[in-house]
Amino acid sequence: MEKFIVEGGRPLYGHIDIQSAKNAVLPLLAASVLTEEAVIIHKCPRISDVVGMTGILEELGCAVRWEGGDLYIDSSAAANHEIPAALAKELRSSVFMLGSVIARFGRARIAYPGGCDIGLRPIDLHLSGLRRLGVEISEDGGYIDCACPRPQGAEVLLDCPSVGATENLILASARAEGTTVIRNAAREPEIVDLQNFINRMGGRVKGAGGATVVVEGVRKLHGAEFTPMPDRIEAGTFLIAAAMCGGKLALTNVQPAHLDALLHKLREISCKIGAEGDKIYIECAGRRLSPKLVETSPYPGFPTDLQAPMTALACICEGATVVVENLFETRFKHVPELIRMGADITVRGRAALIRGVRSLQGADVIAGDLRGGAALTLAAVSAEGESTVTDLRFIDRGYSGFEYKLRAAGARIRRVRV
Ligand code: UD1
């Protein structure tokens, strides 16, 4: 096990280059088996979720190799349609493989997916949508078995705009017979990236980014090269870091429009923000005013993945903040740890009331999930005194070189083995 040792209380200054988006790359890796030809993902982040996904691709028989920051996937020899529990349990995104493996092989067998424990995270919408496409699904002993020689285009109305279900249905229908219409689709920008990648492979997907996605099935897809979109959650995490620590940061490789909900909040609490092309500048001095109300909702609302960092920021703002988590049931695991650092937080169900304190105090805390772990690291970097953040496995799922980037901006943080 590894931990961060952090000496907090220093402002952040400098430039941070943002990685490609984890949540875009994972479905792209699933999409790579839709074609028998090679694909190249440029600027692919080397985070453990990506490494886990490459393990699944290898299990299917794909040849995977890194060349610098680029990932090459050749699935011409892929023949296996089964993803064992040991791999699926490591990674929630293994569920995307259902759609693409069915599309490629006409069947799939996958253990129930794992991932961060932030709530129930059911996959009922994925399964009912696949059934609409004609996929026969049975479940036994923790495995989901799917069979369908070729999915058939259909109308699917999602009960709620699930990102994963939207992506899985796009993957399953990319090579289907006929046209699939997904209504009440999630509108996250990562879905647009998936659409663009499939279209670069010769697919016919349109409407992503809106509530209706239309997929015209094609018989075959070919190889392609693609550079995924910037990681809006990583960018948001560093913006919140600057708001907590003070200082001045320039972020490159960002799409400011993807961060509207956060930028709006940060401006409200008097951070100076500038955006130009693919850059965002943030400058903060003194104590921030509280953001008052932060309520997570599907894109373009405030992202649930930035709720934990935003909660950490609210802890040291002037005044009280209510944070409402509308997407996941148990996404407040960082709260008891923040309280150990001196935060004043009361949680009732999906809402947290945070009364701002002047500063947090260094403490030994434990990361319980990916974004919660990032939030605790920011808390430690801003706190007075020394902290340790233990169990970096979660943080490594989504941030490549997290501590290097913070250190380059002036934070005192190092990684040690426990
Ligand atoms: C994706 C993101 C995750 C982010 C989340 C919400 C990836 C790899 N992960 O997760 O980082 O926090 O979107 O922005 O892209 N739901 C159901 N039934 C289903 C599927 C979902 O009830 O079959 C519910 C969930 O419990 C949740 C809501 O729908 O309350 C949204 O979940 P969803 O959008 O599916 O999140 P993920 O795709 O798992």
Side-chain angles (χ1 to χ4, degrees), residues 261-336:
L262 174 67
L263 296 183
H264 180 71
K265 283 282 162 207
L266 292 177
R267 284 194 177 105
E268 249 179 29
I269 63 170
S270 66
C271 299
K272 279 193 209 151
I273 310 253
E276 190 189 308
D278 71 346
K279 298 185 188 66
I280 296 183
Y281 306 93
I282 180 165
E283 189 175 354
C284 306
R287 198 170 166 205
R288 316 254 60 80
L289 299 172
S290 80
K292 295 197 175 63
L293 177 66
V294 178
E295 195 162 351
T296 65
S297 66
Y299 189 84
F302 193 90
T304 171
D305 287 352
L306 288 176
Q307 179 264 107
M310 200 63 183
T311 298
L313 166 59
C315 289
I316 51 170
C317 286
E318 201 175 329
T321 305
V322 173
V323 173
V324 184
E325 172 54 62
N326 285 312
L327 277 96
F328 295 110
E329 299 83 0
T330 56
R331 213 169 196 183
F332 279 128
K333 278 202 273 180
H334 43 287
V335 165

Side-chain angles (χ1 to χ4, degrees), residues 115-181:
C116 275
D117 176 16
I118 52 176
L120 291 172
R121 305 196 87 172
I123 55 167
D124 54 318
L125 301 176
H126 301 240
L127 300 183
S128 60
L130 290 172
R131 285 196 174 100
R132 295 276 307 154
L133 303 182
V135 179
E136 276 178 30
I137 302 175
S138 56
E139 297 169 55
D140 84 288
Y143 275 81
I144 307 163
D145 274 299
C146 299
C148 180
R150 189 174 180 205
Q152 304 294 308
E155 289 247 347
V156 184
L157 172 66
L158 295 177
D159 287 342
C160 72
S162 153
V163 178
T166 304
E167 292 171 334
N168 223 342
L169 291 170
I170 293 174
L171 290 163
S173 55
R175 291 179 63 165
E177 194 175 332
T179 300
T180 298
V181 181

